[in-house]
Amino acid sequence: MRPARRVKTLAEDAREGLIEPPRTLPPKYFYDARGSALFDRICDTEDYYPTRTEDALLARYAGEIMCKVQPRHILELGSGTSRKTRHLLSACEGQEGMIYWPFDVCREVLEETGEVLMTDYPWLEINPLLGDYSAGLDHLPCPDGGCLYVFLGGTLGNFEEREAITLLRELAVRMSPLDRLLLGVDRVKSVHVLHAAYDDGEGITAAFNRNVLHVLNRELRGDFQPDAFAHRAVYNEDAARIEMYLVADTQQQVHLDELDATLRFAAGETILTEISRKFTLESVTQLLARAGMAIEGHYAPENEYFSLLIAAPQRNVHVAVI
Ligand code: SAH
Ligand code: AVI
């Protein structure tokens, strides 16, 4: 796919975000083959409730959702291993002409998942799309017939408000009146539950966080010592978001050959590697409205830990000047 707009390379993002504090990197760089596998392991930890909560919702409501929307296409943003999407695919078992478009930035996860899905769903056409959704959505294939866009896992929470609105707006603009978005968002809840979810007892989230340093070492010929950085997850209540940091254990220097740059860390200095925003029904309704979408359906468990939303593009009145 040729992107609608150019996105920065890792070298550019690293030069912009890492050389001087406050240091930060976009979370998409977690997801090389190893990072995707670590994310999948996070999903199976006791502490990380979002996956099993959303999975239970999809297991229960996939049939109802597919019946309501009746799409011919399912196009999933940040599809990963598509593990929860299987409920949607199974709900249209054998449906003639059904096409699944998993869209992800990680080639390995798309290839592996594509192969397994082809075996498990022989009746389904599967067209994986490798790309970066922050490059815009204009260049996505334009499926004819209704399309269910799927954005699960709470991944929208990894975007700042402005970026989230941009992405959802781009989606709203390309949606036909028959299309719908199935959006999974994580909800505001007890700090203890949130903190455990992002600092699991098995240390998988810590390994996932440090993986970005392995990516930098490989791609930018760096000499980060990942074990010299601690994983820290903090819930910022005012911003209703988890912030994930890597914290330098000691004063240290890191050289990135590709950038010909030396990063100097004082002990305790941080790199912000991810934000994960948590929503109330009100905040997500507002976000969708600002992007030109309205909520048409809502599924949540009794504890309201997570929400699955069906959103429709809002119709605009266009007055033609004649
Ligand atoms: N939807 C899955 C996976 C969530 S993990 C679930 O709910 O479990 C986030 C996924 O988004 C990863 O597979 C990652 O590779 C993908 N991703 C992250 N940033 C991306 C980007 N900018 N463009 C496309 N995919 C991206
Ligand atoms: C992909 N995304 C929604 C996950 C989240 O919960 O924000 C990524 C993650 N980071 C740490 N654990 C999981």
Side-chain angles (χ1 to χ4, degrees), residues 173-184:
V173 163
R174 58 177 280 123
M175 283 166 87
S176 81
L178 286 180
D179 296 345
R180 293 292 178 271
L181 167 66
L182 181 64
L183 178 67

Side-chain angles (χ1 to χ4, degrees), residues 61 87 169 172 179 201 247 249 252 254 273 316:
Y61 297 111
H87 296 296
R169 246 188 217 148
D179 296 345
V247 188
D249 278 346
Q252 54 197 286
V254 176
T273 51
N316 288 319

Side-chain angles (χ1 to χ4, degrees), residues 31 39 42 48 153-155 158 198 205 208 244 274 276:
Y31 299 96
F39 176 74
I42 290 176
Y48 192 72
T155 305
N158 298 136
Y198 289 85
T205 311
F208 173 73
M244 249 174 37
E274 184 182 69
S276 192

Side-chain angles (χ1 to χ4, degrees), residues 18 212-214 216-217 222-229 252-256 263 265 271:
L18 287 186
V212 79
L213 302 181
H214 291 282
L216 288 165
N217 282 347
D223 59 3
F224 272 104
Q225 289 176 26
D227 289 341
F229 285 80
Q252 54 197 286
Q253 284 192 13
V254 176
H255 196 73
L256 297 172
L263 317 182
F265 290 90
I271 306 173

Side-chain angles (χ1 to χ4, degrees), residues 28 31 36 39 43 54 76-80 84 103-106 109 131-134 152-153 155:
K28 66 183 172 191
Y31 299 96
S36 293
F39 176 74
C43 294
E54 191 180 36
E76 180 169 12
L77 305 176
S79 48
K84 289 165 290 180
F103 174 20
D104 205 282
V105 77
C106 178
V109 85
D132 182 337
Y133 44 56
S134 47
L152 298 180
T155 305

